[in-house]
């Protein structure tokens, strides 16, 4: 990229000139400018400050000078940018983003980062930039974008010094997104890394245990919690929270024993938890629930009282108190408690239902109906249909009552409207008022921080974790009734914190102008009763009180959440309950999605002061949604009724963990569970200690962008509008479409698609775990530590290190920083035309700089990303294309060369070869259930338990809405047992058919089971079925007859053939280059997927029933990936069943066809597909790899995409590429170039890494390879490891050879002292293969 103006060197000179001006004593105006100048020492210090130090450099006490320096640097940079009219190098904006990030000025940081992005075409080479941007997105809860940024950091630089921090944050975000498998993987990667991080190892272990609990793996969770308790020197707060979770699990989970013993253990654990932390309001609440369940009413009341005293009252606590009062036949007290609950949490379905039941028991059906209606509007309501029936029943009752009968009845309870404004006992108001005073006093001393918590400047390790939740107050506008609570309400303090805007308007004072105290209300009633006998003064008083009463009623009536737009809690997604009842210092800024309804890229525009210039233009389009204030962070302190665990009576104390185990701050580590919903633990533990103060997270997932809806970033990052304009970028800097591309940071709009590729050069996206160092031109983003300088020596933690803070910061700067500027990965002057000698010469001395981990591919193309939807979109009448089908009549047709060409043509995503078995006289009976049982009846079968649904629909288990998530639970059985199930299922179906014919003669005999069930079952529970899948037929001794029969097939579809890439792996990959069998009953589903590494697949239906297939071309996999993200699903790992309506709306074509017995379905490379059995049948399938450029390209792209997504590639593409070079003569120039480039890259990596190891004095031991030895993968991160294997000393001595990649080895042992390096190939061998692999002449006649 060309420099676009002032360079950093020029800037340094400019700053120097300013110093001279100061020294010369210029005029006052110039002196003011000069005050922004930087000394040489300051410039040197700033050179080492970037996003990697975020959270590890204290800005308080010892770090005050750093903060001052950063502030000065920001002023100087802004001044210089202003003088240059914005025409400065892009690096300026990147540095400015880093400085603002370290100062925790997130709007300015985002603006500067986005400006850098718009100017720097190869921004993806700058890992520090991506990391900083990810931190900003994480702060704004834009998890969709934060995940992408962090993944790209790890892809660009696997040895990034903050990799552990990234894995931790990815674990937390995936946990919130309910992608538990990915979450666990990243937590484990963080746990094995010995480098510093914002959470301790025991805290990460706690999150893993809580992850098991969230997944309902209760025995694993219990074991993990108990193991944590055995840890030496376990911090008291961690111990308390672990005991709390164990206690709550024993109370809730039936699997943990009989009721009496469970409750006994629960009470014991909770009492021990309170011994460790007596101030945990959450533990007191749980204890109250336990006492209540065993009938100890007085103990329960005492515990609830303690819960309210130790923390601000939660909706759950008040609802539980209401239940106790109702059980004790104290309806008025129960009413007040329920009202407190629903005022704290408008969407508390259980409280509304209990309140409705209370009114109904008091014969007040009108109020009961209102309460039930509010319950049904809550997302947490799990029995909407039951309530709807109850509402109809009560309404019918009301219609049948004589007119006026209700008005004449004496009401036992006030109406819901009257109850909303009832005075609450004074014992609460005194405490709440005291807390308000404390908050105001705190704010007076901390004007730039939030009330109660003041988290903006709290050190990294003292902060709490994100909770993905949006509450009713976030949905309501500024005039929301939620913001109009009365002062005497027990919800006053919490609701004010909950709903306070950033400007901290004095809501209580406004309310007091019309609010009537209980005494005034009583006085009003007395005056009304004596209206005729009042004097003039009393009449004026009455008039004034009545007008105030009317105002109060209007406000309180508005507060009734009859139209609450987004109510909290969900039994399906327990983590969404996180904020519903917690009031431990809850402070609600107006939150936003940060991505619009179409998932625009987060961008920010200047807004009113109370929004702290962080208003999102995308959000302002959404009714009722407001943006998240840039400093309004409740951090996890604003957690949920399940998570705010440890506040004290002052509301200030809670769980936080520092490296010194100083536990302070109002936080919570783990969520509570609402008894009123399902009594299952909440899904997301409070994550403490994350440096950007994570705010309440939006309930709806941040989606992928819809290009064109985004606007340019518009954050005013300076009080000077000229600077803001320069930083934002003028219209002519980024015009129209380019502006859209730049804002959609990770997915620039691409209207044209070249070869549907993920990257610009498919062959250039392959890389292995054996990284290649960068040249001596290293710059700021990546340090090049030698083997003898482990990562662990790099950091200061909260300003403290082994030496004093000053020296440690200098050391940090010296090590991390080279010089400020964009890291550009150097490109080597070699190509695939170069000989091996030239390649090795170009690599020479690179490794002497130390071990570094760039992908050499990055000098050519950015990290892989999904393709955008093809343009122009297909017309609606083309969205159901006919399926390409070939009908075979004889063997000659099957071996006709054009059949192979037709199937492998990229224009045909799928081909159905009809009548193949008959044409080739295949004996399909060899694969029938009867034959399989006779051959190997004890053979293992993987079973997937699923719900029987219509083929073109996928409903949630209750049958109320269509979803993408596909329920599929795994277990195992044998062929014999599954065969019994398959047969009994058929017989049961026959019986049902006969009964239906007898009872419903009007139905046609030909009506299918699926069509009969589709309308009926969507209203009721679905039948459970079992699908026998992944039955391995690779053993040629057990399955000799079956495998021999398949040799009758044409060569291009055979399991083994010279033209099949997978036959050149040299080892078995089950299900890919071996046959797998599937045993099905009607409704058995293979969820949506692409084949492993995008290889082609062959599937033959054995029969006797049919299968229905749904197929989407490879070009559209990016669209399906976006749909999966929107539905909180992992495209690669989750089970999902697309909603056809969604696909058609997005202009995605879907091929749909029936596969009959004997039909072969050929799935082309990269094709997305999902299948459902129509009848009882068996299928056999395997993968093949045609020797084509398209197949190799797509396989390599998926290999790199898997690496970006931290997913293991089943096909080791590096190993395969070298075997192809040894075994195959390639005449296709495109395929040859891609393979040759891969060999070139790997050769460079092997040579450079080898040199680096030798330079560091690390011995490389010859190990060699055995025949049929599989390719190796890192046992930690699961990337492929080629040639140089890092094996622990212990593993080597025991000959177990547990392999690590270089990056994971160094994270475990910085100097590799605990590892030996084994070499599997001699460099001479690799050089010979590389040189001998040349383009073969093309054959004149190819078959």
């Amino acid at each position: 990229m060309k420099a676009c103006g002032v360079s950093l060197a020029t800037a340094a000179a400019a700053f120097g000139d300013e110093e001279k001006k100061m020294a010369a004593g210029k005029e006052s105006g110039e002196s003011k400018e000069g005050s922004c100048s930087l000394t040489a020492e300051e410039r040197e210090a700033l050179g080492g400050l970037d996003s990697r130090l975020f959270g590890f450099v204290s800005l308080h006490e010892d770090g005050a000078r750093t903060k001052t320096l950063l502030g000065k640097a920001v002023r100087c940079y802004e001044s210089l940018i202003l003088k240059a009219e914005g025409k400065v190098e892009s690096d300026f904006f990147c540095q400015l983003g880093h400085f603002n990030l370290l100062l925790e000025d997130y709007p300015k940081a985002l603006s500067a980062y986005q400006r850098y992005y718009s100017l720097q075409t190869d921004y993806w080479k700058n890992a520090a930039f991506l990391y900083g941007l990810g931190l900003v997105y994480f702060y704004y809860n834009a998890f969709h974008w934060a995940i992408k940024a962090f993944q790209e950091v790890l892809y660009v630089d696997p040895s990034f010094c903050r990799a552990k921090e990234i894995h931790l944050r990815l674990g937390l975000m995936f946990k919130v997104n309910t992608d538990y498998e990915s979450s666990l993987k990243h937590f484990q990667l963080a746990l094995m890394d010995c480098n510093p991080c914002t959470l301790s190892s025991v805290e990460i272990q706690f999150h893993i245990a809580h992850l098991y609990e969230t997944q309902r793996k209760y025995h694993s969770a219990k074991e993990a919690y108990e193991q944590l308790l055995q840890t030496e020197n376990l911090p008291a707060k961690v111990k308390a929270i672990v005991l709390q979770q164990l206690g709550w699990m024993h109370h809730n989970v039936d699997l943990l024993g009989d009721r009496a013993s469970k409750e006994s253990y629960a009470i014991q654990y909770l009492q021990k938890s309170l011994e460790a932390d007596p101030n945990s309001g959450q533990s007191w609440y749980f204890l109250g629930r336990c006492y209540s369940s065993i009938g100890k009413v007085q103990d329960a009341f005492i515990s609830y009282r303690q819960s309210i005293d130790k923390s601000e009252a939660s909706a759950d606590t008040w609802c539980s108190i209401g239940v106790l009062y109702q059980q004790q036949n104290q309806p008025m007290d129960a009413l007040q408690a329920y009202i407190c609950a629903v005022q704290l949490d408008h969407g508390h379905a259980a409280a509304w239902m209990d309140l409705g039941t209370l009114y109904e028991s008091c014969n007040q059906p009108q109020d009961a109906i209102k309460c039930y209606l509010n319950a049904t509007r809550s997302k947490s309501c799990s029995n909407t249909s039951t309530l709807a029936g109850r509402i109809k029943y009560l309404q019918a009752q009301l219609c049948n009552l004589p007119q006026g009968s209700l008005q004449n009845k004496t009401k036992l309870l006030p109406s819901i409207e009257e109850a909303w404004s009832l005075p609450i006992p004074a014992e609460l108001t005194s405490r709440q008022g005291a807390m308000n005073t404390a908050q105001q006093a705190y704010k007076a001393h901390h004007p730039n921080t939030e009330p109660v918590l003041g988290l903006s400047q709290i050190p990294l390790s003292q902060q709490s974790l994100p909770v993905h939740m949006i509450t009713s107050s976030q949905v309501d506008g500024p005039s929301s009734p939620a913001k109009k609570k009365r002062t005497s309400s027990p919800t006053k303090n919490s609701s004010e914190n909950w709903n306070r805007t950033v400007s901290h308007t004095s809501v209580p004072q406004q309310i007091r102008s019309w609010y009537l105290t209980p005494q005034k209300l009583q006085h009003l009633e007395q005056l009304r009763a004596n209206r005729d006998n009042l004097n003039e003064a009393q009449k004026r008083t009455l008039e004034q009180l009545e007008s105030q009463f009317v105002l109060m009623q209007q406000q309180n009536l508005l507060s009734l959440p009859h139209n609450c737009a987004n109510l909290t809690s969900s039994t399906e997604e327990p983590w969404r309950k996180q904020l519903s009842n917690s009031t431990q210092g809850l402070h609600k800024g107006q939150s936003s999605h940060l991505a619009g309804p179409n998932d625009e890229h987060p961008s920010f525009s200047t807004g009113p002061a109370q929004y702290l210039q962080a208003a999102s233009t995308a959000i302002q389009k959404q009714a009722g949604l407001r943006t998240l204030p840039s400093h309004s962070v409740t951090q996890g302190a604003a957690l949920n009724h399940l998570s705010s665990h440890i506040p004290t009576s002052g509301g200030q104390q809670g769980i936080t963990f520092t490296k010194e185990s100083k536990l302070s701050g109002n936080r919570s580590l783990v969520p509570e569970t609402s008894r009123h919903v399902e009594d299952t633990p909440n899904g997301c533990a409070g994550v403490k200690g994350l440096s950007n103060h994570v705010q309440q997270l939006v309930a709806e997932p941040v989606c992928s962008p819809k290009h064109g809806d985004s606007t340019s970033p518009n954050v005013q990052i300076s009080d000077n509008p000229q600077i803001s304009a320069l930083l934002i970028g003028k219209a002519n800097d980024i015009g129209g479409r380019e502006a859209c591309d730049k804002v959609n940071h990770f997915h620039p709009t691409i209207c044209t698609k070249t070869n549907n590729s993920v990257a610009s050069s498919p062959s250039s996206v392959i890389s292995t775990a054996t990284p290649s160092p960068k040249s001596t031109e290293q710059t700021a983003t990546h340090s090049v530590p030698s083997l003898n300088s482990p990562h662990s020596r790099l950091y200061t933690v909260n300003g403290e290190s082994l030496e004093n803070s000053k020296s440690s910061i200098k050391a940090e700067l010296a090590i991390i920083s080279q010089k400020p500027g964009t890291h550009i990965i150097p490109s080597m002057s070699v190509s695939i035309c170069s000989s091996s000698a030239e390649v090795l010469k170009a690599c020479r001395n690179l490794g002497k700089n130390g071990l570094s981990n760039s992908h050499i591919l990055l000098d050519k193309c950015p990290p892989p990303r999904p393709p955008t939807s093809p343009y122009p979109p297909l017309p609606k009448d083309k969205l159901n294309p006919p399926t390409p089908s070939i009908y075979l009549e004889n063997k000659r047709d099957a071996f006709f060369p054009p059949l192979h060409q037709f199937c492998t043509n990229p224009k045909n995503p799928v081909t159905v070869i009809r009548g193949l078995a008959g044409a080739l006289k295949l004996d399909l009976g060899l694969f029938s259930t009867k034959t399989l049982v006779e051959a190997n009846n004890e053979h293992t079968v993987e079973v997937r338990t699923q719900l029987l649904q219509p083929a073109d629909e996928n409903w949630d288990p209750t049958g109320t809405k269509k979803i993408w998530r596909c329920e599929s639970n795994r277990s195992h059985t044998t062929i014999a047992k599954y065969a019994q199930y398959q047969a009994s299922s058929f017989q049961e179906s026959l019986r049902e058919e006969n009964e239906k014919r007898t009872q419903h003669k009007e139905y046609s005999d030909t009506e299918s089971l699926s069509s009969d069930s589709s309308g009926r079952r969507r209203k009721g529970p679905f039948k459970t079925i079992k699908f026998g899948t992944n039955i391995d037929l690779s053993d040629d001794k057990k399955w000799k007859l079956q495998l021999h029969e398949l040799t009758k097939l044409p060569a291009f579809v055979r399991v083994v053939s010279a033209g099949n890439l997978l036959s050149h792996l040299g080892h078995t990959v089950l299900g890919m280059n071996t046959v797998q069998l599937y045993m099905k009953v009607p409704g058995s589903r293979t969820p949506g997927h692409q084949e492993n590494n995008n290889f082609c697949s062959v599937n033959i239906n054995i029969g006797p029933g049919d299968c229905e297939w749904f197929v989407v071309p490879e070009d559209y996999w990016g669209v399906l990936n976006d749909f999966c993200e929107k539905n909180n699903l992992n495209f690669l790992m989750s089970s999902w069943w697309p909603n056809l309506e969604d696909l058609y709306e997005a202009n995605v074509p879907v091929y749909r066809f029936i596969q009959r017995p004997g039909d072969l379905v050929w799935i082309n490379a990269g094709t997305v597909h999902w299948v459902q059995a129509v009848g009882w049948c068996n299928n056999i399938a395997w993968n093949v790899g045609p020797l084509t450029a398209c197949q190799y390209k797509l396989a390599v792209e998926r290999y790199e995409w898997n690496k970006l997504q931290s997913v293991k590639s089943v096909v080791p593409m590096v190993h395969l590429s070298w075997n192809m070079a040894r075994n195959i003569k390639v005449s296709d120039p495109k395929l040859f170039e891609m393979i040759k480039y891969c060999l070139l890259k790997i050769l460079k990596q092997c040579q450079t890494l080898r040199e680096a190891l030798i330079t560091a004095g690390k011995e490389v031991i010859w190990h060699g390879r055995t025949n049929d030895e599989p390719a190796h993968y890192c046992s930690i991160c699961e990337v492929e490891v080629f040639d140089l294997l890092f094996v622990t000393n212990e593993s080597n001595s025991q000959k177990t050879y547990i392999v690590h990649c270089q990056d994971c080895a160094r994270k475990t042992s910085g100097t590799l002292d605990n590892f030996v390096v084994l070499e599997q190939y001699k460099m001479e061998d690799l050089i010979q293969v590389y040189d001998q692999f040349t383009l073969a002449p093309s054959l004149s006649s190819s078959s």
Side-chain angles (χ1 to χ4, degrees), residues 1267-1288:
N1267 290 335
D1268 301 327
E1269 181 178 345
H1272 292 282
Y1273 292 86
C1274 175
S1275 60
I1276 305 295
C1277 67
E1278 297 186 309
V1279 299
E1280 183 184 359
V1281 185
F1282 181 77
D1283 186 25
L1284 297 173
L1285 313 180
F1286 292 77
V1287 177
T1288 60

Side-chain angles (χ1 to χ4, degrees), residues 1258 1286-1289 1300 1304-1305 1308-1309 1312-1317:
K1258 193 71 185 174
F1286 292 77
V1287 177
T1288 60
N1289 293 330
H1300 293 63
C1304 290
T1308 305
S1309 172
L1312 298 179
D1313 290 339
N1314 299 331
F1315 286 86
V1316 296
V1317 183

Side-chain angles (χ1 to χ4, degrees), residues 15 43 60 117 289 474 562 646 689 743 756 823 904 970 983 1215:
F15 291 144
R43 292 198 299 272
H60 301 289
Y117 166 79
R289 290 279 297 279
Q474 291 168 281
H562 295 298
I646 323 286
V743 177
N756 302 327
H823 162 73
T904 55
R970 180 185 299 177
H1215 173 83

Side-chain angles (χ1 to χ4, degrees), residues 70-232:
L70 287 168
K72 182 178 179 182
V74 168
R75 292 192 298 274
C76 287
Y77 273 60
E78 288 181 352
S79 173
L80 186 65
I81 291 168
L82 186 60
K83 286 181 180 179
E85 297 182 347
K87 296 177 181 177
V88 296
E89 278 191 347
S90 59
D91 297 339
F92 262 79
F93 294 104
C94 187
Q95 286 295 103
L96 189 58
H98 292 326
F99 297 159
N100 281 310
L101 175 66
L102 294 176
L103 289 170
E104 298 177 9
D105 192 340
Y106 298 102
K108 287 186 178 183
L110 180 62
S111 177
Y113 280 146
Q114 289 189 327
R115 185 66 173 143
Y116 170 78
Y117 166 79
S118 70
L119 294 172
Q120 188 73 28
T121 54
D122 54 357
Y123 66 87
W124 38 268
K125 295 180 181 179
N126 188 337
F129 157 70
L130 292 172
Y131 179 60
L133 188 63
L135 291 172
V136 173
Y137 284 144
F138 186 92
Y139 167 82
Y140 280 120
N141 311 319
F143 282 6
H144 175 77
W145 298 108
I147 287 171
K148 292 182 185 302
F150 287 147
Q151 285 176 335
E152 292 199 3
V153 176
L154 296 176
Y155 181 86
V156 170
D157 183 11
S159 64
F160 188 67
C161 64
R162 297 293 179 230
K164 181 174 184 176
E165 185 72 19
I166 289 176
H167 284 304
L168 169 64
R169 290 171 186 259
L170 285 172
L172 296 173
M173 289 187 287
F174 282 125
K175 182 180 178 184
V176 166
N177 287 347
T178 68
D179 184 354
Y180 300 126
E181 191 171 343
S182 298
S183 176
L184 179 61
K185 179 165 187 174
H186 286 289
F187 280 143
Q188 288 173 334
L189 287 169
L191 199 58
M192 57 74 58
D193 196 327
C194 62
N195 291 309
C197 178
T198 53
L199 291 189
S200 66
S201 61
V202 291
E203 292 168 286
I204 297 173
Q205 286 174 319
F206 170 81
H207 276 290
I208 292 174
H210 185 260
L211 186 66
Y212 291 138
E213 184 183 352
T214 305
Q215 293 177 276
R216 307 185 186 221
K217 297 179 179 179
Y218 297 116
H219 288 295
S220 298
K222 183 173 181 286
E223 186 179 331
Y225 284 137
E226 288 172 344
Q227 188 176 349
L228 255 178
L229 291 175
Q230 305 304 316
T231 307
E232 291 184 14

Side-chain angles (χ1 to χ4, degrees), residues 253-264:
V253 181
D254 294 334
L255 300 174
L256 299 182
D258 62 272
R259 185 172 182 273
S261 63
K262 283 198 311 126
E263 292 299 345
S264 174

